[in-house]
Amino acid sequence: MNPGDGIAFCGRGYVQLTGRANYRKATQRLRALGLLVAGQDLETNPDLAMHPDVAAAILFIGTREGWFTGKKLADYLGGGKADWKGARRIINGQDRAGEIALHAQAFAAALKKAGYAPGAVTTKIPVPPVTTASVPPLIAPAPRRSADPEPPDTDGVTASPGGLVAWLKTRFFKKAA
């Protein structure tokens, strides 16, 4: 681990992929499957893990192959198994396993009602490679303060003489003489 890796490789995507080694592993595996092209690299562009198609690929392939905890989807579901609560171990131990199991069962029931055929096999899901444009931050960075800040724009709000806005301006935005 290098200094700054904790921030650089913080949790992103649907499963909150973390750590430089996991970003590298995801890049290699997704490239091998043709889901990322040579110029797309999660290690050099970690925000790529937040693109919905990449996040979904990490989720599906990672759960199928046991990337996150060593437990695989097939350990709990399919082939006559339906351990909805135990399946939580695939990603995150047993945290809120009962609640998540109920959501999963409801989702499975909705799929069945919509015509999904249990046991149907999909050999390949076509997913085009994603673009490498960076994802904008979820929260804009705070503006930096200058040595001599200007009074903030009050968006047309006027303060009466002696009002709170006027008082704040005199206390916090004094101009140098």
Side-chain angles (χ1 to χ4, degrees):
M1 188 159 138
N2 299 325
D5 274 5
I7 295 289
F9 299 102
C10 63
R12 290 183 181 87
Y14 299 137
V15 294
Q16 296 297 291
L17 186 68
T18 58
R20 179 185 293 272
N22 290 327
Y23 278 76
R24 183 180 305 130
K25 176 182 183 173
T27 296
Q28 292 168 349
R29 187 67 179 122
L30 295 180
R31 277 191 190 152
L33 293 170
L35 300 173
L36 291 179
V37 296
Q40 297 170 323
D41 187 329
L42 293 162
E43 190 174 359
T44 58
N45 183 10
D47 285 343
L48 189 58
M50 292 192 300
H51 283 267
D53 46 354
V54 174
I58 291 167
L59 168 69
F60 287 113
I61 295 159
T63 57
R64 185 178 66 205
E65 297 180 357
W67 290 3
F68 312 112
T69 64
K71 302 290 185 182
K72 300 176 185 177
L73 191 60
D75 295 339
Y76 302 97
L77 301 168
K81 294 180 258 181
D83 182 2
W84 296 97
K85 192 172 177 182
R88 179 70 174 133
R89 289 185 181 98
I90 298 165
I91 295 180
N92 216 11
Q94 287 301 109
D95 177 46
R96 300 175 66 186
E99 177 186 350
I100 293 168
L102 292 174
H103 290 300
Q105 287 171 307
F107 188 74
L111 286 173
K112 194 179 275 188
K113 186 175 181 179
Y116 169 77
V121 177
T122 303
T123 56
K124 179 146 176 77
I125 299 171
V127 178
V130 298
T131 60
T132 58
S134 65
V135 176
L138 296 176
I139 300 171
R144 297 198 178 254
R145 298 179 75 175
S146 65
D148 186 20
E150 292 294 318
D153 182 10
T154 58
D155 295 323
V157 175
T158 56
S160 59
L164 178 63
V165 173
W167 180 82
L168 288 171
K169 284 182 179 180
T170 62
R171 293 289 183 213
F172 296 103
F173 300 102
K174 293 180 181 177
K175 295 257 181 183

PDB file of all heavy atoms in Angstrom, residues 63-64 71-78 81 90:
ATOM      1  N   THR A  63     -19.212 -11.402  -7.848  1.00  0.00           N
ATOM      2  CA  THR A  63     -20.011 -12.312  -7.024  1.00  0.00           C
ATOM      3  C   THR A  63     -19.960 -13.732  -7.577  1.00  0.00           C
ATOM      4  O   THR A  63     -19.938 -14.696  -6.819  1.00  0.00           O
ATOM      5  CB  THR A  63     -21.478 -11.855  -6.893  1.00  0.00           C
ATOM      6  OG1 THR A  63     -22.061 -11.732  -8.186  1.00  0.00           O
ATOM      7  CG2 THR A  63     -21.570 -10.539  -6.146  1.00  0.00           C
ATOM      8  N   ARG A  64     -19.915 -13.856  -8.884  1.00  0.00           N
ATOM      9  CA  ARG A  64     -19.838 -15.186  -9.495  1.00  0.00           C
ATOM     10  C   ARG A  64     -18.501 -15.858  -9.203  1.00  0.00           C
ATOM     11  O   ARG A  64     -18.431 -17.057  -8.966  1.00  0.00           O
ATOM     12  CB  ARG A  64     -20.073 -15.080 -11.006  1.00  0.00           C
ATOM     13  CG  ARG A  64     -20.132 -16.439 -11.684  1.00  0.00           C
ATOM     14  CD  ARG A  64     -20.404 -16.333 -13.161  1.00  0.00           C
ATOM     15  NE  ARG A  64     -19.277 -15.681 -13.806  1.00  0.00           N
ATOM     16  CZ  ARG A  64     -19.335 -15.009 -14.952  1.00  0.00           C
ATOM     17  NH1 ARG A  64     -20.471 -14.872 -15.572  1.00  0.00           N
ATOM     18  NH2 ARG A  64     -18.262 -14.473 -15.471  1.00  0.00           N
ATOM     19  N   LYS A  71     -16.286 -16.118  -1.107  1.00  0.00           N
ATOM     20  CA  LYS A  71     -17.564 -16.821  -1.262  1.00  0.00           C
ATOM     21  C   LYS A  71     -18.163 -16.458  -2.612  1.00  0.00           C
ATOM     22  O   LYS A  71     -18.112 -15.305  -3.026  1.00  0.00           O
ATOM     23  CB  LYS A  71     -18.543 -16.440  -0.142  1.00  0.00           C
ATOM     24  CG  LYS A  71     -18.025 -16.711   1.248  1.00  0.00           C
ATOM     25  CD  LYS A  71     -17.945 -18.196   1.507  1.00  0.00           C
ATOM     26  CE  LYS A  71     -17.546 -18.461   2.952  1.00  0.00           C
ATOM     27  NZ  LYS A  71     -17.404 -19.873   3.217  1.00  0.00           N
ATOM     28  N   LYS A  72     -18.749 -17.456  -3.287  1.00  0.00           N
ATOM     29  CA  LYS A  72     -19.327 -17.252  -4.612  1.00  0.00           C
ATOM     30  C   LYS A  72     -20.842 -17.376  -4.562  1.00  0.00           C
ATOM     31  O   LYS A  72     -21.395 -18.042  -3.670  1.00  0.00           O
ATOM     32  CB  LYS A  72     -18.794 -18.307  -5.579  1.00  0.00           C
ATOM     33  CG  LYS A  72     -17.305 -18.290  -5.740  1.00  0.00           C
ATOM     34  CD  LYS A  72     -16.869 -19.437  -6.627  1.00  0.00           C
ATOM     35  CE  LYS A  72     -15.345 -19.497  -6.686  1.00  0.00           C
ATOM     36  NZ  LYS A  72     -14.891 -20.633  -7.461  1.00  0.00           N
ATOM     37  N   LEU A  73     -21.493 -16.799  -5.541  1.00  0.00           N
ATOM     38  CA  LEU A  73     -22.942 -16.884  -5.656  1.00  0.00           C
ATOM     39  C   LEU A  73     -23.405 -18.341  -5.670  1.00  0.00           C
ATOM     40  O   LEU A  73     -24.381 -18.696  -4.999  1.00  0.00           O
ATOM     41  CB  LEU A  73     -23.380 -16.166  -6.936  1.00  0.00           C
ATOM     42  CG  LEU A  73     -24.857 -15.911  -7.131  1.00  0.00           C
ATOM     43  CD1 LEU A  73     -25.419 -15.052  -6.015  1.00  0.00           C
ATOM     44  CD2 LEU A  73     -25.096 -15.252  -8.474  1.00  0.00           C
ATOM     45  N   ALA A  74     -22.693 -19.183  -6.384  1.00  0.00           N
ATOM     46  CA  ALA A  74     -23.074 -20.598  -6.487  1.00  0.00           C
ATOM     47  C   ALA A  74     -22.970 -21.335  -5.152  1.00  0.00           C
ATOM     48  O   ALA A  74     -23.556 -22.409  -5.000  1.00  0.00           O
ATOM     49  CB  ALA A  74     -22.207 -21.290  -7.533  1.00  0.00           C
ATOM     50  N   ASP A  75     -22.246 -20.768  -4.180  1.00  0.00           N
ATOM     51  CA  ASP A  75     -22.171 -21.395  -2.854  1.00  0.00           C
ATOM     52  C   ASP A  75     -23.513 -21.323  -2.123  1.00  0.00           C
ATOM     53  O   ASP A  75     -23.746 -22.092  -1.186  1.00  0.00           O
ATOM     54  CB  ASP A  75     -21.105 -20.712  -1.984  1.00  0.00           C
ATOM     55  CG  ASP A  75     -19.692 -20.889  -2.515  1.00  0.00           C
ATOM     56  OD1 ASP A  75     -19.450 -21.840  -3.293  1.00  0.00           O
ATOM     57  OD2 ASP A  75     -18.831 -20.063  -2.148  1.00  0.00           O
ATOM     58  N   TYR A  76     -24.391 -20.403  -2.526  1.00  0.00           N
ATOM     59  CA  TYR A  76     -25.628 -20.157  -1.791  1.00  0.00           C
ATOM     60  C   TYR A  76     -26.899 -20.254  -2.637  1.00  0.00           C
ATOM     61  O   TYR A  76     -27.959 -20.557  -2.102  1.00  0.00           O
ATOM     62  CB  TYR A  76     -25.583 -18.765  -1.140  1.00  0.00           C
ATOM     63  CG  TYR A  76     -24.414 -18.625  -0.213  1.00  0.00           C
ATOM     64  CD1 TYR A  76     -23.228 -18.024  -0.633  1.00  0.00           C
ATOM     65  CD2 TYR A  76     -24.468 -19.127   1.080  1.00  0.00           C
ATOM     66  CE1 TYR A  76     -22.141 -17.918   0.217  1.00  0.00           C
ATOM     67  CE2 TYR A  76     -23.384 -19.026   1.941  1.00  0.00           C
ATOM     68  CZ  TYR A  76     -22.232 -18.429   1.495  1.00  0.00           C
ATOM     69  OH  TYR A  76     -21.144 -18.325   2.337  1.00  0.00           O
ATOM     70  N   LEU A  77     -26.795 -19.943  -3.919  1.00  0.00           N
ATOM     71  CA  LEU A  77     -27.990 -19.893  -4.770  1.00  0.00           C
ATOM     72  C   LEU A  77     -27.753 -20.673  -6.064  1.00  0.00           C
ATOM     73  O   LEU A  77     -26.669 -20.648  -6.624  1.00  0.00           O
ATOM     74  CB  LEU A  77     -28.338 -18.437  -5.107  1.00  0.00           C
ATOM     75  CG  LEU A  77     -28.614 -17.530  -3.918  1.00  0.00           C
ATOM     76  CD1 LEU A  77     -28.654 -16.073  -4.349  1.00  0.00           C
ATOM     77  CD2 LEU A  77     -29.908 -17.915  -3.233  1.00  0.00           C
ATOM     78  N   GLY A  78     -28.811 -21.344  -6.524  1.00  0.00           N
ATOM     79  CA  GLY A  78     -28.745 -22.114  -7.765  1.00  0.00           C
ATOM     80  C   GLY A  78     -28.416 -23.559  -7.482  1.00  0.00           C
ATOM     81  O   GLY A  78     -27.934 -23.918  -6.399  1.00  0.00           O
ATOM     82  N   LYS A  81     -30.045 -24.832  -4.420  1.00  0.00           N
ATOM     83  CA  LYS A  81     -29.771 -24.077  -3.179  1.00  0.00           C
ATOM     84  C   LYS A  81     -30.501 -22.739  -3.215  1.00  0.00           C
ATOM     85  O   LYS A  81     -30.562 -22.095  -4.259  1.00  0.00           O
ATOM     86  CB  LYS A  81     -28.273 -23.833  -3.013  1.00  0.00           C
ATOM     87  CG  LYS A  81     -27.463 -25.086  -2.780  1.00  0.00           C
ATOM     88  CD  LYS A  81     -26.000 -24.738  -2.618  1.00  0.00           C
ATOM     89  CE  LYS A  81     -25.325 -25.058  -3.939  1.00  0.00           C
ATOM     90  NZ  LYS A  81     -23.923 -24.821  -3.961  1.00  0.00           N
ATOM     91  N   ILE A  90     -21.236 -13.257   0.448  1.00  0.00           N
ATOM     92  CA  ILE A  90     -20.522 -13.069  -0.817  1.00  0.00           C
ATOM     93  C   ILE A  90     -19.835 -11.710  -0.855  1.00  0.00           C
ATOM     94  O   ILE A  90     -18.735 -11.574  -1.370  1.00  0.00           O
ATOM     95  CB  ILE A  90     -21.489 -13.207  -2.018  1.00  0.00           C
ATOM     96  CG1 ILE A  90     -22.093 -14.608  -2.052  1.00  0.00           C
ATOM     97  CG2 ILE A  90     -20.789 -12.885  -3.329  1.00  0.00           C
ATOM     98  CD1 ILE A  90     -23.304 -14.719  -2.965  1.00  0.00           C
TER      99      ILE A  90
END
